Amino acid sequence: MLSSLLTVHTLWDYMYEFACCSSMDVLVANSINALNGTTVKIPCTFTSCYRMDTTKFSMNWTYQETLNDTEEMFMTYYKKKGMVPLRSDRFGERVMFAGNLDKNDLSITLSDVQVEDVGIYNCYVRNPPDRIQGHGVIQLNVVTELPPPRDSTIAVAIGASVGGALALLILSMVVVKCLRRHRKQELISEEKMEEEGKLEAEGVAEEGTK
């Protein structure tokens, strides 16, 4: 009996662990637009049913110009040092860790953004005993100027004019419908009066013949 209970308990633990192992999720923005010359934050967080074990945890940030290019690692995690930027001819010292490991936040900042920084940024995460490696992909786009802000007053004015025109249209349709109904009632009344007049004339004629 005890053996059976142990077997069931072990099976349950295995099933729970298997479910947790498939729960690793990396959360990133698919695409980010950055203004040339500014500092941009590239966010990456992850969820796991296991707490981070600093002796087993690992993660890497890599860059590639396109999906077909080789990935260049520019930041990694060390057990004793934590998140450390790696020497990179492309980024120099412009990359900094901006996250919080206690909150599963692995975000970075890239300062003095250049047009050459356009490309794909990969966030790889491994948090044992999760068996799978999480992977987030972010496309960074660099623009030379931000699009002009949309003038909400114009939109409001357009909406008001359209709404007013629609209200006038509905009102005119109602007035036309009422006039038609009133005209129809008048025609019915006139026809009824003519019919009654004919009947009276016929009655008078019949009395005259008598």
Side-chain angles (χ1 to χ4, degrees):
M1 180 66 176
L2 180 60
S3 177
S4 299
L5 289 174
L6 289 174
T7 302
V8 172
H9 188 268
T10 303
L11 180 61
W12 174 258
D13 287 344
Y14 176 78
M15 291 175 64
Y16 178 76
E17 181 181 355
F18 179 79
C20 285
C21 287
S22 61
S23 67
M24 163 70 77
D25 215 353
V26 176
L27 309 175
V28 296
N30 293 329
S31 179
I32 297 176
N33 294 327
L35 183 62
N36 187 37
T38 63
T39 297
V40 63
K41 182 176 182 180
I42 305 178
C44 176
T45 59
F46 73 95
T47 59
S48 173
C49 60
Y50 299 109
R51 298 191 62 179
M52 182 189 297
D53 184 345
T54 56
T55 62
K56 298 177 181 179
F57 176 79
S58 64
M59 84 83 51
N60 297 310
W61 275 100
T62 69
Y63 167 85
Q64 55 186 151
E65 291 186 6
T66 67
L67 288 173
N68 297 325
D69 293 323
T70 303
E71 296 183 34
E72 172 190 347
M73 187 186 303
F74 62 87
M75 180 170 287
T76 190
Y77 174 82
Y78 290 113
K79 297 177 183 178
K80 295 183 179 180
K81 298 181 180 180
M83 297 293 296
V84 178
L86 303 178
R87 181 176 297 179
S88 170
D89 294 335
R90 178 182 300 275
F91 301 117
E93 298 180 355
R94 295 186 295 129
V95 175
M96 298 291 292
F97 178 62
N100 187 336
L101 293 178
D102 292 334
K103 296 181 179 180
N104 295 351
D105 186 351
L106 308 171
S107 304
I108 59 173
T109 57
L110 176 61
S111 60
D112 191 19
V113 174
Q114 306 296 318
V115 176
E116 294 77 13
D117 297 331
V118 170
I120 299 169
Y121 292 74
N122 298 283
C123 179
Y124 292 100
V125 186
R126 187 178 292 278
N127 186 45
D130 270 324
R131 290 193 176 92
I132 64 172
Q133 174 178 256
H135 180 204
V137 180
I138 307 104
Q139 172 67 47
L140 178 66
N141 305 308
V142 179
V143 297
T144 55
E145 61 180 10
L146 293 175
R150 298 180 62 183
D151 191 346
S152 59
T153 57
I154 296 177
V156 171
I158 294 174
S161 61
V162 172
L166 184 61
L168 288 174
L169 178 61
I170 294 173
L171 180 61
S172 62
M173 292 174 64
V174 171
V175 171
V176 170
K177 188 175 182 180
C178 290
L179 290 175
R180 287 179 177 176
R181 182 179 298 174
H182 183 68
R183 180 58 180 165
K184 186 177 181 180
Q185 290 177 349
E186 288 182 347
L187 291 174
I188 293 173
S189 298
E190 291 176 358
E191 291 177 355
K192 187 175 181 181
M193 290 176 65
E194 290 178 359
E195 186 66 27
E196 290 177 351
K198 289 180 180 180
L199 292 175
E200 289 179 358
E202 291 176 356
V204 171
E206 288 179 359
E207 290 180 359
T209 56
K210 291 179 181 180

